[in-house]
Amino acid sequence: MKITTIIENSKPVDSNLECEHGLSFFVEYDGKKIIFDTGKDGNNFLENAEKLGLDIKNADYMVLSHGHYDHTGGVIPYVDTFGNDFKLIINPSVFYPRYKYNGVKKVDIGMPFGREDLEKRNVNTIFSEDIETISENIDVISGFSLHPEYRMEDSGLFCQENGVEKKDFMPGESVLVMKYEKGLVLLIGCSHSGVVSIIEKVKKLYDEKIYAVFGGTHLGVASSAFIDKTVQYFKNSDIEKIGVCHCNGEKAGYKFKEEIPDRYFQITTGKVIEI
């Protein structure tokens, strides 16, 4: 299994790659090539993939974790550059209008394209609200409820569902679950419902150990108490590899490093994870 970080918020000092407030991974596993999220800026996404020597042109699947601009900016540039010979897996809620308030001003943080843009380009789109199987060892899981103890705190994000404004805890977020000889490997975009909410659902669906969790935890906007509780959950678990990035935040990063330095690591632009 090889997971390459095409783009993330940070990068090594000597890197010639671009970084941005966004996230994108390229997964090569079980005979499949999967783009998981596409960052914020389509040009950065495409240029980094080329510099990294990644064969994204021949991706079998593209999976979007959720409908925010910093995870979906490369979709249309990708299709316009390489064509539509892939399958796109998304939860239908990605098309909800999404925003936050800056004082009284509403700031759009949703996707930079709509359903009609995909239809115009004849993108083979699979709408999944539960489990979509990619291969014998790869699933896309969606539809998360808020864990009663580890539900994500209110981070001031909103969406409109059927014209009604509501707090956005992203139950329709999609997660990649890969079966590996040492256990399950989870690839997560932002954990808007809470990273533990996601892990606990996966544990209920699969009678297998979770070996690794990689991706965004959304702890950058969480309170110190919530960060401490979440890190302790990981510390008390048997998850062996914990790679975090994007929306994890410095405070949570310090806490992970302090409590479980042997299992935690930071994911940056260009980082390659091979297991």
Side-chain angles (χ1 to χ4, degrees), residues 1-4 25 27-29 34 36 137-141 174-188 198-199 202-203 206 208-215 239-243 265 267 273-275:
M1 181 187 302
K2 182 178 180 182
I3 303 171
T4 304
F25 293 106
V27 178
E28 297 167 273
Y29 183 55
I34 304 165
F36 185 82
N137 295 307
I138 307 173
D139 291 330
V140 178
I141 307 298
S174 295
V175 172
L176 206 61
V177 178
M178 295 170 281
K179 301 171 186 175
Y180 177 65
E181 59 185 14
K182 294 184 178 180
L184 301 176
V185 176
L186 276 56
L187 193 60
I188 301 173
I198 291 171
I199 291 170
V202 171
K203 286 170 66 175
Y206 299 85
E208 296 183 46
K209 165 188 166 68
I210 296 178
Y211 171 69
V213 176
F214 303 132
I239 300 171
E240 296 183 36
K241 293 186 180 294
I242 303 158
F265 65 94
I267 297 171
I273 304 167
E274 292 190 87
I275 55 176

Side-chain angles (χ1 to χ4, degrees), residues 69-215:
Y69 71 98
D70 51 331
H71 294 254
T72 58
V75 175
I76 299 304
Y78 176 91
V79 177
D80 289 348
T81 301
F82 297 124
N84 60 5
D85 190 21
F86 67 97
K87 294 178 181 178
L88 173 67
I89 301 177
I90 53 176
N91 184 289
S93 67
V94 297
F95 296 113
Y96 290 171
R98 290 193 150 87
Y99 47 90
K100 61 182 179 180
Y101 287 100
N102 184 3
V104 296
K105 184 181 178 182
K106 184 187 290 187
V107 180
D108 182 7
I109 56 174
M111 297 195 303
F113 65 93
R115 189 187 297 257
E116 65 281 0
D117 296 298
L118 298 177
E119 293 173 348
K120 183 171 65 176
R121 292 166 173 82
N122 295 313
V123 175
N124 186 351
T125 305
I126 300 170
F127 295 101
S128 178
E129 298 182 76
D130 187 20
I131 301 177
E132 184 67 31
T133 297
I134 287 178
S135 72
E136 181 181 358
N137 295 307
I138 307 173
D139 291 330
V140 178
I141 307 298
S142 187
F144 297 96
S145 56
L146 298 175
H147 190 279
E149 186 178 354
Y150 294 93
R151 58 175 289 159
M152 190 63 217
E153 296 173 318
D154 181 5
S155 54
L157 304 182
F158 296 85
C159 70
Q160 279 196 5
E161 183 176 354
N162 299 321
V164 179
E165 181 177 279
K166 59 188 293 187
K167 294 282 188 179
D168 196 6
F169 292 99
M170 209 75 67
E173 187 164 352
S174 295
V175 172
L176 206 61
V177 178
M178 295 170 281
K179 301 171 186 175
Y180 177 65
E181 59 185 14
K182 294 184 178 180
L184 301 176
V185 176
L186 276 56
L187 193 60
I188 301 173
C190 252
S191 304
H192 281 281
S193 62
V195 65
V196 177
S197 297
I198 291 171
I199 291 170
E200 286 296 310
K201 172 165 181 173
V202 171
K203 286 170 66 175
K204 290 178 180 177
L205 290 174
Y206 299 85
D207 185 23
E208 296 183 46
K209 165 188 166 68
I210 296 178
Y211 171 69
V213 176
F214 303 132

